[in-house]
Structures are given as C-alpha cells and as structure tokens.
Amino acid sequence: MAGIRALAAAILTTALVGFSALSLAQGNSPSNLTPEQIQQFQNLPPAQQQLIARQYGIDIDQLRQQQQSSQKQQSESQSNIFPRGTDFDDMGNPIFPDEINKLFKEEEEELSRFGADLFASEPSSYSPVKNIPIPSHYLVGPGDTVNIVLFGKESNTYDIEVNQDGSIIIPKLGPIQVAGLTFNETKALIRDRIKEQMIGVEAAVSLGELRSIQVFVVGEAYRSGSYTISSLSTITQALVAAGGVSDIGSVRNIQLKRAGETIVTFDLYDLLIQGDASNDLMLQSGDVVFIPPVDEMVTVKGDVVRPAIYELTNEQHLQDVLALAGGMKASAFKEQVIIERVAQSDRQLLTANMTSEQGRNQQVVDGDTIEVKTTAGVPSNSVTLVGAVTRPGKYAWYDGFSLNDLIRSVNMDLLPEADLSYGIIVREDNNQRDIQVLQFDVAGAISQPGSDDDLSLSPRDFVVIFSAFEEKAESTATIDNLALSEDERQQKQRRELLKQYEMHFVQQLVVDKQSEAEREAEMERQRDNLSSLFVQGDQEEEEDVDYTEFSRHRLLEPILMKLRSQSRLGSTAQLVFVDGEVRYPGIYPLPVNGNVKDLVLAAGGLQESAYLQRAEISRVEIQGEEADVDYMAFNLAKAMESEINQTLQGRDRLNILRIPQWQENYQVEIAGEVRFPGSYSIRRGDTLSKLIERAGGLTDFAMSEGAVFTREVIKEQERERMRRMAQDLQHEIVTNSITNTTQAGNVSYSEMRNLLKDLTAVEPVGRMVIDLPSILANRADQDIQLRDGDMLHVPTQQNSINIIGEVQFASAHRYKGGTTVDDYIRMSGGLKSKADEERIYVIKADGSVQQRESSWFAVTHSQLEPGDTIVVPLDSMYIDNLNLWTSATQIVYQISVAIAAIAGL
C-alpha cells in the first residue's frame, strides 16, 4: 500500500508541476494543454482534478470537451484503410474513382477467391501500432523508448530512448545494456540496478514509443516492396501494409524468411476457418514476407455455407473441400453432388453421393467445379392447404391422413366467407405430373369423419377451399367481414402461398425468364384457349370484375390451364361448362367420377329460377373421322336428389333452363299528380293504364297533356346516338378545318374537343312521347306495355308558354289565347343576330315537335297550348350543311323541357 501511495503522490506531483509550469508560461486556457497533459489529468482521481482545477483556474468541462475532440480526431486518423485502387490527394484524403464507387453499390455476382480479399485494402499511410500491451517476449532494441518512474525515497520520471549501441543512460546510474533482451528481462535488469544503487527507491518500468522496423513484402503481393512498420507488427500487418495478395497470389503458403531461411509458413485458412494465429509471428527488421503464386484451386457453389473459390494444399477428397466451404447446408441434396472436371482437353461430369464413404472420398483435382444441388422445394410427405382457411400452408402427411385430420372445425379452421358446399383436391396422376381433381363437400368432411366426403389424402395433394362470394362487392356486405381487421384480410403469408400455388400448375406454361408483359400475354392466350373449348362465334367483351381473393375465378384458373394443357391425342380435356340458372356459370374442372350434381354445386348451386324438370347436356361425339354434337335431356330434380347418376365427360356443356314465364321483381315508378305515387311491382303484360288505375288515377290538378314517360332502353339508345353524333361532328369539323372551307378553321382543336365533350356529357332522359289523355280514354291502340325501370311523371297544370334559344331574353310567358309565335318572340325581346328564323319550332307539352313546313309558319295561334315551348335554334350554316347540329339541339332542348317539367312540380 505504501508503494501505491508513493506512486500516486509522484504522479500528482508531476501533474501539478506540469500544469503549474504551463500556467505560468501560457496562461490557464485548456487549449494550451498538450494531449499528453490532458490524458495525464484525466487519469487523476476526481478529487485531485478538482484541486488542480481550482488552483490553476482550469475549466474542467472545457477540458473534457477538448479531450473528446482529440479522441475523435485520433479515431478519424486511424480510419485510413480504403478499397484497392483508391488514390489520395495531397492532404491524404481518398479520391474514389467511378469503379470504386460501384463496389459499394453493386454486389458481386461471380464467386470470389476465399480469403484473397481479406487484406485487399489501400492504406493512405501506415500508422505504427500504439496503445496495445507489450508482449513479454518482445526484444528491446535501438529506437525503443523506456519509461522509468521512480517512487519511494526519491520520485522522478524518465523517458529514455535506447541508443544505437543498445544501451540506456539513467541519470545517477550510468548506462545499462538492454538491446537484445526481452521486455521482461529489461524490466528486471533496470529494477535490480536501481535497488542496488539507489537505496529506498523503487522503479516502475514500461515501454513508451516503439521503434520502427523495415521489412520486405515480395512475390505475388498487391504492392511488393519495402515497408517501415512498427516493431510489434506481425505477418498479417505486413500484408495489410502491402494491400494483401495479388489475384494470383497464394493465401495458404505465405512464407516468413529471415537471414535466408524460411522461419514459418503461414496458412491464412488456419486463421479464417479455425481461428489459429499461432504462425502469425512478430516480424524483425530485415525480414522478408514472400507470397508465392497460387497452385491448385477448386470452385464450390450451390447449397453450401460459403460458396467461393478455394485454394488447395493437402485437401484431396471431396469431404475435405466441402469442409473448407463450411459444409453443406441442411437443405442440400447430398445424394448427387456434381463435379465438373477438365480432363484431357475435355469437360466431364462426375456425381458423388455424400451419404456413402465412396462419395465422401471422391478425389478432387485442380480446376474442379463442385456444385451442391438443393433438395426439392416441396416436401415429399406434405399436403398443401390453400384458400379461405385460417392457417394456409403445408402440413405433414402420414398414412391414413384424411380431410377431417386437416380441417377439423368450421369456426377455427375456415374463414367466415368460406364455401361449405364445394372444395377440391388437386392430385398428381402420373409421372408426367398430370393432375386429376377430386371434389368434396366441405361441411360433410368436417362433420362426418369417415364419410364419402372425408376423402383420404396423398402426398403432394393440394386442398383448395373457395370463398362463397365471387365479387368483392358481395363479400364486403357480410356482417362477419365487418369484424375482420385489414391485416387479417390481407395476410402476406396467404398471398405468397397463392402465388406458389398458381406457379405450381402453370410453371410449365409460362417460362420464368419471360418478361412481365410476355408472361401476362401468355396467360391471356391460355385463358382464350379455355374459352374456345365451349364458346363459339363472337364473344362479348368481358367486363372487368373485382374478384375476391379466394374466388372460384382466381383459384381455379391455374388448374383449368393445367388441365387444358395436358389434353393429348386420344385424351379429352377434363373440363366442363355450366350455363344458365346457376350462381356462377363458367368453366370448371371435371372431378373423378363427376356428375351433374357435382358440377351444379361447383357452380354455387341452382338459382331460384332454375327449371327442375328438364336440363340439357351438349356433348361432342367422335363418329369415325367427324365430330358431331349430341344433346341429352334429363330430369334435373332427380339428378340433384341422386335418384339418377347423370355422369359427365370432358368438354360437356350443361345448360340449366329457366322456369317458363319466370321474371324477376320488375319495378316501375309513377310520380307527380297521381293519388298514390311511388314504386310498383309489375308483371309481364301490365299496361300504363292499369298502373295509373292502381295508383288511384290522376288528381284534379294533373296536366295529362304534359306527362313525361321515360324508359331505360330509350335512354341507352339516346346515349349511343349522342356518342355517334359526336364522332361524326368531330370528323366533319376536323375535315373542314383542314380544308379551311368554313369558319371552323378559326376555332382551336382543343375548343372543338371541349364542345364535343360537353355534348356527350349531357345525361339523356330517355323520354317516350305518349298521348296520356287517349290512354285514359281507354284507347287500346295508344296504351303501352310496361318494362322494368319505366317511370311516368304527371306534372301539375300550368298556364304558360316557354321560349328558349336565340332570343334576347329567354323566359316563360302566361298563355293567352290568340297569341302567335311571333308575338311571344317579340315579348322576349326579338331574335338575336345568329338566330335561325327559318327553323323555329315548337315542342308540345307531350314532347312532340312541330316545325316550319314552308315559308310561312305552320303553327298558328290556335295550335299553341299551355306548356308548349318555342325553340329558336342557332344558325348553324357557318359550318356548311352540318345538319347534325340541329339534331343535337333538339335532343338537348327536349331533355331541358323534360327536366324543367319535373322540377316545376
């Protein structure tokens, strides 16, 4: 304890003396302190730091910040290792060329030589090794600094450099010869001399700054030459200074030569693979690190831990080489390891079974390429469950494994939207990987173990559970779906499994290397091939439908494509088509021993409108060298009750008929001046007069002459006419603009397009002109039969005449008997300059139109009635004889009149 206290006192005294001298000479700023003084201060106990700080007026916080800045600069200065090929500027900063930048951004695709890039660096400068423990066997020599701290009766500190003759000179003691001694021997020698010649004084001996030595790195080094390094450096540190080995340098036969003799051979694999650095000896001045060229190499790739190019020394067998690569992975296919060898100017392939002694001892020679294959991705004893299930994925198969073992509970194993009446098993049928389909009732397989629906499963089977809904609009409307979170509906695992499921059946049809566009085009071609099996003639363009994730459309598509592709000469595609009164008409896989009942259940079951007494199967029969279509009728009710087994064959087409005179719930609407307005259900053959009678007849305020009757079919016809008219207008305007035959050339093309866009954007009304007073008078020739979506609007009585178009002030005027059309025009301010006086017409309250028939106006004052509308059109002659404008104006004004009549109620 006395020795420790004396040492602490000596350190404190030295620190006080140093700080005192500095304070007197340069002031009390911490910036004036050297890093050594700061470090010495930081090594003192906190109490002594406070004492010194108060005595000399030093800010401890500022001092600590200065130390942190110094440590940061030192750390940055030590980060001086950069990739090969790096150039440096005058200040020592790295200059990265484009090729070096790519090394940080791109991964190497080719295998590299193992261990060769360990020292593949470019040092900007080689800094001596500092602040590491000095080994006891270190040989002291000229240039080393010996630190001696005296404590006890006398306290002092000496930093003495070993001079050229190998001695150190200690004040009051004289020279001591230390060159050639180890560090431990040097410490013992100095302590003994001090004890002998300085009574009551002890010494603490350490090494300070070490000397530098010069070594040579030659042979196949990246940069051969002479290097000045620290005396503590080893072989590996010399390799770092030289940038490692070259592309042809050996990493397993690095030789350390001293005085012409090989001291040790260093195998870098011992360090990298086994962590053995026993041969990484410390260098001496004048040593030579020699790197010979590489001798034998093999390439190991595939399912191993470290795929790379390996250098061989004593490895002769396959198991030895694979051990260098870290061994094979658990997924490796050990029965067939492929060896590609060049022998006698010819390439040969060898196969080794690593599970046998002979395979493990297979001879390996220079230039071999060893590839370890991966075991098949699908386990041989697995069953895959996909679709509307809670836990999709692969399950272990065992003897006796059935559907009930895979799916035990409706609530726990299936999603709420799962279809409980239809599920399929997809099974490989032969060595050509042809598939067959087995169908089962999901609810029956779960509730009745051992029943006919509880089918036994085979290895590599796919069990597919479908959603009870095809479109997302249907599935989102269910109550159960409201309780599902977004994450539960869109699990990443299910989506990935669906992709794997699809590619399992279509990978033979779509090549993986194809581009995305090519794959999509190929898939579309396969879909067309499916449709061509059952549909003839022109096909209507299929609407874009947003299908649910587990719909029949999505899950069956890869299976249907696979079944279509595996049909060959003499083998019919096991596909059937169902049409008519089923929930989901379309193409379905024909299950083993499939019948009509199976197909109907696959299509979601019968609709309410299905006719049960008769259905029809269309079948292609080959008679000699020709094909003929045969039609077979049967009782659908008996087939669904399994009273008859109406079997199906590939490419059969089942047609489910509709009940005669069946109709959906047709709705019509009557509004306005009727006693009971609203929506009414009708049946085929109902007339407008009967509808008015059911609505209680007209009120006393009804204006039957102005009734507006609209029909959905007429609305679609008007929309189509407007679209075609806009196309014709666009064509003629562009033609006239090019030929400059009209004033249209002064109108920009964008303005024309906006005009046509506005025209087509007008929503049609679909009005049919009717004579309601005649209908109410029970004239059968004027009555009309109703259709679904029809609407009758009976306006309130009005006593006005409307005038619209090219007049100064479009308005409505009170009807006055004896007032002519010209009178009403004058009452509206007269015609505008662009009004077409020759084509003024009147739209009657019932929707009919009366136009000028000659040079005088055919509509007299006696023909004008309340509710009529006078239309003054725009003079369209400035675009030649473009009579289509008149048609467009009529349509727009008719729509306006109908809307105005409805809005006026």
Side-chain angles (χ1 to χ4, degrees):
M1 291 295 295
I4 296 176
R5 289 173 182 170
L7 177 61
I11 295 175
L12 178 59
T13 302
T14 304
L16 290 173
V17 172
F19 281 109
S20 177
L22 186 63
S23 175
L24 294 174
Q26 300 178 351
N28 298 334
S29 174
S31 61
N32 297 327
L33 302 178
T34 64
E36 291 78 7
Q37 290 173 325
I38 296 175
Q39 183 64 40
Q40 193 175 25
F41 178 83
Q42 292 293 335
N43 292 335
L44 295 177
Q48 295 176 1
Q49 292 181 7
Q50 295 288 343
L51 176 63
I52 295 175
R54 286 196 301 269
Q55 182 174 355
Y56 297 102
I58 297 175
D59 188 346
I60 293 182
D61 293 335
Q62 187 177 356
L63 188 64
R64 289 174 179 169
Q65 292 177 1
Q66 182 177 344
Q67 185 197 27
Q68 293 175 357
S69 176
S70 176
Q71 291 176 350
K72 181 178 180 181
Q73 292 176 359
Q74 182 179 4
S75 174
E76 291 176 352
S77 65
Q78 291 176 352
S79 302
N80 59 352
I81 303 301
F82 301 95
R84 268 187 188 171
T86 305
D87 295 328
F88 302 92
D89 57 19
D90 296 337
M91 302 299 294
N93 298 319
I95 302 174
F96 292 101
D98 294 338
E99 293 76 7
I100 300 301
N101 286 330
K102 292 180 181 179
L103 294 177
F104 293 99
K105 300 178 182 178
E106 300 179 358
E107 296 183 357
E108 294 184 2
E109 297 181 358
E110 298 182 357
L111 295 178
S112 59
R113 190 153 61 99
F114 179 69
D117 57 351
L118 179 62
F119 304 114
S121 58
E122 188 75 25
S124 60
S125 63
Y126 191 83
S127 301
V129 180
K130 297 180 179 180
N131 301 325
I132 64 173
I134 307 299
S136 58
H137 61 275
Y138 175 74
L139 296 179
V140 180
D144 290 338
T145 300
V146 180
N147 298 329
I148 303 174
V149 178
L150 302 180
F151 58 92
K153 183 178 179 180
E154 180 179 345
S155 297
N156 211 336
T157 300
Y158 301 103
D159 294 332
I160 307 172
E161 182 178 348
V162 181
N163 55 31
Q164 295 300 321
D165 62 1
S167 63
I168 59 174
I169 301 176
I170 304 175
K172 300 181 183 180
L173 295 182
I176 300 176
Q177 192 71 28
V178 295
L181 299 180
T182 64
F183 178 46
N184 281 351
E185 293 172 345
T186 301
K187 289 194 296 181
L189 178 60
I190 295 174
R191 288 172 181 171
D192 292 342
R193 289 285 298 273
I194 291 175
K195 282 185 178 181
E196 292 175 357
Q197 300 183 20
M198 301 179 68
I199 299 174
V201 178
E202 295 185 9
V205 182
S206 63
L207 286 180
E209 185 174 346
L210 303 180
R211 69 184 185 276
S212 297
I213 62 174
Q214 187 178 39
V215 298
F216 298 90
V217 183
V218 297
E220 299 302 330
Y222 178 66
R223 281 188 176 177
S224 301
S226 173
Y227 291 91
T228 300
I229 59 178
S230 170
S231 57
L232 286 177
S233 299
T234 61
I235 297 175
T236 54
Q237 291 164 344
L239 292 175
V240 172
V245 301
S246 67
D247 294 337
I248 61 172
S250 173
V251 296
R252 305 198 64 184
N253 190 23
I254 302 173
Q255 302 170 14
L256 173 59
K257 296 180 179 291
R258 184 174 298 161
E261 296 183 1
T262 300
I263 303 302
V264 71
T265 298
F266 180 54
D267 187 349
L268 191 58
Y269 281 15
D270 292 340
L271 175 62
L272 296 177
I273 298 177
Q274 303 175 13
D276 182 8
S278 58
N279 287 342
D280 188 17
L281 299 184
M282 191 178 299
L283 301 177
Q284 298 180 13
S285 183
D287 282 354
V288 176
V289 178
F290 175 68
I291 304 174
V294 67
D295 190 7
E296 297 182 353
M297 291 191 301
V298 295
T299 301
V300 182
K301 61 182 180 179
D303 218 13
V304 293
V305 177
R306 289 188 303 269
I309 301 173
Y310 290 90
E311 183 179 345
L312 303 181
T313 54
N314 298 322
E315 295 81 14
Q316 299 179 356
H317 303 124
L318 181 58
Q319 61 181 353
D320 301 329
V321 175
L322 292 179
L324 293 178
M328 294 183 290
K329 294 182 180 179
S331 57
F333 187 57
K334 301 178 177 61
E335 283 76 7
Q336 288 186 346
V337 176
I338 307 301
I339 303 175
E340 182 178 345
R341 177 173 298 170
V342 177
Q344 298 177 356
S345 301
D346 185 24
R347 290 190 176 272
Q348 300 176 355
L349 288 180
L350 304 176
T351 301
N353 186 350
M354 291 301 293
T355 61
S356 65
E357 186 68 23
Q358 181 180 359
R360 290 190 291 270
N361 292 328
Q362 172 69 44
Q363 292 289 324
V364 177
V365 299
D366 179 32
D368 282 355
T369 298
I370 302 169
E371 182 176 6
V372 180
K373 301 290 186 180
T374 303
T375 305
V378 180
S380 59
N381 64 335
S382 69
V383 172
T384 305
L385 178 64
V386 296
V389 295
T390 56
R391 292 176 295 277
K394 294 179 173 59
Y395 291 84
W397 175 88
Y398 53 84
D399 192 16
F401 193 61
S402 67
L403 285 171
N404 188 264
D405 298 318
L406 183 65
I407 310 173
R408 295 180 177 272
S409 171
V410 171
N411 297 323
M412 297 178 60
D413 297 332
L414 301 180
L415 295 180
E417 65 266 25
D419 191 339
L420 301 181
S421 62
Y422 177 53
I424 63 172
I425 300 172
V426 185
R427 179 173 297 169
E428 290 187 1
D429 190 29
N430 50 38
N431 292 332
Q432 295 179 330
R433 290 195 171 181
D434 290 342
I435 63 172
Q436 61 178 358
V437 175
L438 292 83
Q439 183 173 328
F440 63 93
D441 182 272
V442 179
I446 296 175
S447 61
Q448 301 176 9
S451 63
D452 293 340
D453 289 309
D454 185 20
L455 302 176
S456 297
L457 298 176
S458 299
R460 300 174 64 88
D461 277 355
F462 278 82
V463 179
V464 185
I465 305 298
F466 300 91
S467 171
F469 309 99
E470 282 293 285
E471 300 181 18
K472 284 188 176 180
E474 298 175 328
S475 63
T476 53
T478 62
I479 296 178
D480 291 332
N481 192 62
L482 299 178
L484 294 177
S485 66
E486 187 68 20
D487 292 338
E488 290 174 326
R489 283 181 290 174
Q490 297 182 355
Q491 290 186 8
K492 182 178 180 180
Q493 177 187 5
R494 292 176 182 166
R495 292 184 174 182
E496 291 298 325
L497 187 61
L498 285 178
K499 292 180 181 178
Q500 298 175 12
Y501 158 79
E502 179 180 282
M503 289 307 300
H504 181 82
F505 297 108
V506 302
Q507 60 186 352
Q508 299 176 6
L509 310 177
V510 183
V511 181
D512 292 338
K513 293 183 179 180
Q514 289 178 329
S515 65
E516 187 68 26
E518 291 173 336
R519 287 197 298 267
E520 186 62 32
E522 178 63 21
M523 294 288 286
E524 189 63 32
R525 190 181 68 84
Q526 296 293 336
R527 295 187 188 101
D528 294 340
N529 289 341
L530 285 173
S531 301
S532 65
L533 291 175
F534 302 98
V535 182
Q536 293 83 26
D538 296 335
Q539 305 178 31
E540 295 183 359
E541 185 176 354
E542 183 179 353
E543 298 181 358
D544 292 334
V545 180
D546 193 6
Y547 292 101
T548 61
E549 196 168 12
F550 308 117
S551 63
R552 286 165 167 79
H553 178 84
R554 288 191 174 181
L555 294 182
L556 286 178
E557 187 176 59
I559 299 175
L560 299 177
M561 291 183 181
K562 175 62 177 176
L563 291 172
R564 173 69 176 89
S565 67
Q566 71 185 33
S567 60
R568 306 177 184 90
L569 181 63
S571 174
T572 304
Q574 297 300 294
L575 301 171
V576 288
F577 186 88
V578 59
D579 196 10
E581 301 307 302
V582 291
R583 288 188 63 191
Y584 307 121
I587 305 174
Y588 289 88
L590 177 62
V592 177
N593 301 322
N595 54 30
V596 168
K597 181 179 179 180
D598 295 331
L599 181 56
V600 170
L601 293 176
L606 298 172
Q607 294 192 8
E608 185 182 1
S609 57
Y611 184 60
L612 299 180
Q613 302 305 313
R614 182 177 180 272
E616 188 177 79
I617 297 175
S618 302
R619 179 172 297 170
V620 177
E621 298 285 356
I622 306 299
Q623 299 178 356
E625 297 180 356
E626 296 182 355
D628 192 15
V629 179
D630 189 16
Y631 304 99
M632 295 176 293
F634 61 94
N635 188 296
L636 181 59
K638 293 183 179 180
M640 296 303 295
E641 294 295 333
S642 300
E643 296 181 10
I644 60 174
N645 183 20
Q646 189 65 48
T647 60
L648 296 173
Q649 297 180 9
R651 298 190 64 177
D652 278 359
R653 178 172 184 144
L654 173 63
N655 186 21
I656 306 299
L657 306 177
R658 175 177 291 190
I659 297 175
Q661 303 299 321
W662 173 270
Q663 67 175 21
E664 300 293 340
N665 186 19
Y666 291 160
Q667 295 283 330
V668 296
E669 186 176 354
I670 185 170
E673 294 297 332
V674 293
R675 299 195 63 185
F676 304 107
S679 297
Y680 289 84
S681 298
I682 62 171
R683 60 189 177 187
R684 294 185 64 182
D686 283 353
T687 61
L688 182 58
S689 59
K690 290 183 179 180
L691 175 64
I692 296 174
E693 182 180 350
R694 291 170 61 187
L698 304 184
T699 67
D700 295 338
F701 306 99
M703 181 180 176
S704 60
E705 297 84 359
V708 178
F709 182 81
T710 61
R711 175 163 288 175
E712 291 296 325
V713 176
I714 298 177
K715 184 185 295 186
E716 294 300 323
Q717 292 174 351
E718 287 182 2
R719 182 178 288 109
E720 180 63 21
R721 285 201 302 269
M722 292 172 67
R723 186 185 66 82
R724 292 182 179 179
M725 181 180 62
Q727 291 179 349
D728 294 339
L729 284 171
Q730 182 178 9
H731 175 73
E732 187 159 350
I733 290 175
V734 172
T735 303
N736 292 336
S737 177
I738 294 175
T739 58
N740 200 20
T741 57
T742 68
Q743 297 179 3
N746 298 326
V747 182
S748 67
Y749 182 72
S750 60
E751 292 176 347
M752 297 178 190
R753 289 190 60 86
N754 290 334
L755 176 64
L756 298 175
K757 183 178 179 181
D758 293 339
L759 179 62
T760 56
V762 176
E763 183 66 23
V765 175
R767 181 176 182 179
M768 176 187 292
V769 177
I770 61 173
D771 187 358
L772 186 58
S774 299
I775 295 175
L776 295 176
N778 295 324
R779 287 185 55 181
D781 60 329
Q782 296 294 326
D783 208 353
I784 58 175
Q785 290 187 356
L786 297 176
R787 294 184 182 181
D788 185 34
D790 286 351
M791 179 178 178
L792 175 66
H793 186 278
V794 182
T796 305
Q797 289 181 358
Q798 53 182 325
N799 191 22
S800 62
I801 297 292
N802 298 315
I803 181 168
I804 58 177
E806 295 300 311
V807 293
Q808 299 296 335
F809 185 74
S811 60
H813 300 277
R814 183 177 178 81
Y815 174 75
K816 297 179 181 180
T819 306
T820 65
V821 173
D822 291 336
D823 294 336
Y824 283 113
I825 292 176
R826 282 192 295 272
M827 293 168 63
S828 298
L831 301 176
K832 289 184 179 180
S833 59
K834 290 187 178 181
D836 191 347
E837 187 176 359
E838 300 295 328
R839 289 189 289 178
I840 298 175
Y841 59 92
V842 175
I843 300 178
K844 304 294 290 180
D846 61 0
S848 61
V849 179
Q850 293 184 0
Q851 293 181 324
R852 185 186 298 274
E853 297 178 353
S854 61
S855 59
W856 55 275
F857 202 80
V859 181
T860 64
H861 64 274
S862 60
Q863 294 173 312
L864 288 174
E865 298 174 346
D868 289 352
T869 300
I870 301 172
V871 181
V872 180
L874 176 71
D875 186 2
S876 57
M877 292 304 293
Y878 66 97
I879 54 173
D880 296 335
N881 296 322
L882 203 56
N883 294 325
L884 292 175
W885 282 108
T886 303
S887 300
T889 306
Q890 291 178 4
I891 293 175
V892 173
Y893 284 139
Q894 287 180 18
I895 293 173
S896 302
V897 170
I899 294 176
I902 296 174
L905 296 177

